């Protein structure tokens, strides 16, 4: 899958998230986790199990696949530029 397809999928998932969630909800209920090493994956899993929405990004596809058990918003991001993070929903 190329980068353009991944960006389109990410944008669709983010749009679906915002459509399904009331804007009046506490914005702290959405968390971004950059890096899914031991700490990042444990943090993402703990937040998701506590009922929080989590956007998780990592450059390792296997780590991203593993965290998708806990969140639908997990993305492979090779470039941690501001533009790339914004595209997946992290501001």
């Amino acid at each position: 899958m190329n980068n353009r397809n991944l960006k389109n999928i990410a944008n669709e998932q983010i749009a679906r998230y915002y459509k399904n969630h009331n804007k009046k909800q506490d914005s702290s209920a959405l968390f971004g986790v950059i890096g899914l090493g031991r700490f990042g994956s444990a943090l993402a899993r703990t937040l998701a199990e506590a009922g929080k929405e989590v956007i998780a990004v990592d450059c390792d596809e296997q780590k991203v696949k593993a965290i998708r058990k806990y969140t639908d918003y997990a993305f492979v991001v090779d470039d941690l530029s501001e533009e790339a993070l914004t595209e997946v929903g992290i501001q």
Side-chain angles (χ1 to χ4, degrees), residues 11 22 47 50 64-65 71 73-74 79 91:
N11 288 335
N22 185 347
L47 288 167
V64 171
K65 285 181 180 179
T71 180
Y73 309 104
D79 173 22
Q91 299 178 5

Side-chain angles (χ1 to χ4, degrees), residues 44-62:
R45 186 173 48 252
T46 300
L47 288 167
E49 288 173 345
K52 307 298 183 186
E53 291 291 335
V54 179
I55 298 174
V57 298
D58 197 281
C59 61
D60 185 331
E61 187 175 351
Q62 295 302 324

Side-chain angles (χ1 to χ4, degrees), residues 9-66:
I9 291 169
N11 288 335
E12 289 171 7
Q13 288 180 333
I14 292 164
R16 188 174 66 233
Y17 170 81
Y18 285 113
K19 180 180 176 184
N20 292 334
H21 289 79
N22 185 347
K23 291 183 181 180
K24 292 182 180 179
Q25 284 183 340
D26 183 9
S27 63
S28 66
L30 177 63
F31 294 88
V33 177
I34 301 170
L36 296 172
R38 287 190 302 179
F39 178 80
S41 60
L43 177 61
R45 186 173 48 252
T46 300
L47 288 167
E49 288 173 345
K52 307 298 183 186
E53 291 291 335
V54 179
I55 298 174
V57 298
D58 197 281
C59 61
D60 185 331
E61 187 175 351
Q62 295 302 324
K63 291 178 181 179
V64 171
K65 285 181 180 179

